[in-house]
């Protein structure tokens, strides 16, 4: 496809403008971050989720395909614990459990798992950027920006956002 543009970037610092995409798909990225030995693991995962939240349009969908069960992923994907903080996420997530093929689990295929406690399911997390949460988050971020940079800078920032939205639809 000639209209596709490929970009290599750090998922924790994406080179895209706010609200640039209708959909994002994760097939293994969050799992790879969870497997890291890095001491800043939790910070990197939160940063990644914040970046996806930032670049998705209101109503946009982030599809995360993962080995990780809901009790290990949802706290990062929805993080309602930050609900009154500008770092809150705007996602409402639906979890779909996908059973692994029984052939792979019972060893009849000749394959045996090296992980005795391996999950018996894969998971699809359908995370929709909730417009209400997104507006609430934007208001908190604008207030923090105004305190740091001043009201005039906030007005300029909002004008640029409006121009971009008018241009991009």
């Amino acid at each position: 496809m000639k209209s596709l543009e490929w970009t290599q970037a750090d998922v924790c610092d994406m080179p895209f403008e706010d609200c640039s995409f209708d959909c994002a798909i994760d097939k293994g990225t969050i799992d790879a971050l969870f497997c890291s030995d890095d001491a800043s693991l939790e910070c990197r995962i939160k940063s990644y989720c914040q970046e996806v939240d930032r670049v998705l349009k209101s109503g946009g969908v982030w599809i995360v395909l993962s080995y990780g069960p809901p009790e290990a992923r949802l706290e990062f994907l929805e993080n309602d614990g930050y609900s009154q903080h500008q770092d809150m996420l705007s996602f409402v997530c639906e979890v779909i459990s996908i059973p692994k093929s029984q052939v792979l689990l019972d060893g009849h295929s000749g394959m045996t798992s090296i992980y005795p406690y391996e999950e018996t399911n894969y998971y699809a997390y359908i995370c929709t950027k909730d417009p209400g949460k997104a507006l609430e988050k934007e208001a908190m971020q604008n207030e923090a920006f105004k305190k740091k940079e001043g009201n005039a800078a906030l007005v300029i920032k909002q004008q640029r956002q409006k121009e971009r939205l008018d241009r991009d639809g």
Side-chain angles (χ1 to χ4, degrees), residues 21-24 52-53 56-64 74 77-78 80 88-95 124-134:
F21 299 97
D22 295 310
C23 183
V52 175
D53 190 31
L56 273 182
K57 294 177 182 176
S58 183
V61 177
W62 182 23
I63 301 169
V64 179
L74 283 177
L77 299 174
E78 292 182 324
D80 287 334
M88 70 180 261
L89 293 176
S90 306
F91 298 119
V92 174
C93 299
E94 173 189 355
V95 180
Y125 298 90
I126 312 302
C127 305
T128 303
K129 187 169 179 178
D130 180 82
K133 283 186 173 183

Side-chain angles (χ1 to χ4, degrees), residues 4-143:
L4 289 179
E5 181 179 319
W6 296 94
T7 303
Q8 179 178 333
D10 181 346
V11 295
C12 297
D13 186 22
M14 296 184 209
F16 306 112
E17 291 187 35
D18 296 358
C19 305
S20 295
F21 299 97
D22 295 310
C23 183
I25 300 173
D26 174 323
K27 173 56 179 89
T29 303
I30 202 163
D31 288 339
L33 288 172
F34 269 98
C35 291
S36 173
D37 291 333
D38 190 350
S40 63
L41 165 72
E42 189 171 319
C43 185
R44 298 244 337 133
I45 294 168
K46 287 180 180 177
S47 181
Y48 168 47
C49 294
Q50 288 290 339
E51 277 296 279
V52 175
D53 190 31
R54 182 184 68 77
V55 300
L56 273 182
K57 294 177 182 176
S58 183
V61 177
W62 182 23
I63 301 169
V64 179
L65 303 170
S66 175
Y67 288 110
E71 54 272 12
R73 296 296 185 264
L74 283 177
E75 71 176 286
F76 292 95
L77 299 174
E78 292 182 324
N79 86 354
D80 287 334
Y82 290 102
S83 63
Q84 295 303 314
H85 189 273
Q86 68 177 8
D87 289 337
M88 70 180 261
L89 293 176
S90 306
F91 298 119
V92 174
C93 299
E94 173 189 355
V95 180
I96 300 170
S97 182
I98 306 165
K100 291 182 180 177
S101 168
Q102 196 61 40
V103 172
L104 294 177
L105 293 174
D106 64 17
H108 284 66
S109 66
M111 298 174 63
T112 57
S113 175
I114 60 171
Y115 303 107
Y117 304 108
E118 185 174 357
E119 281 288 325
T120 58
N121 294 310
Y122 298 108
Y123 299 91
Y125 298 90
I126 312 302
C127 305
T128 303
K129 187 169 179 178
D130 180 82
K133 283 186 173 183
L135 287 173
E136 182 182 344
K137 179 177 180 174
E138 182 180 2
M140 286 187 273
Q141 289 174 329
N142 284 342
E143 189 59 35

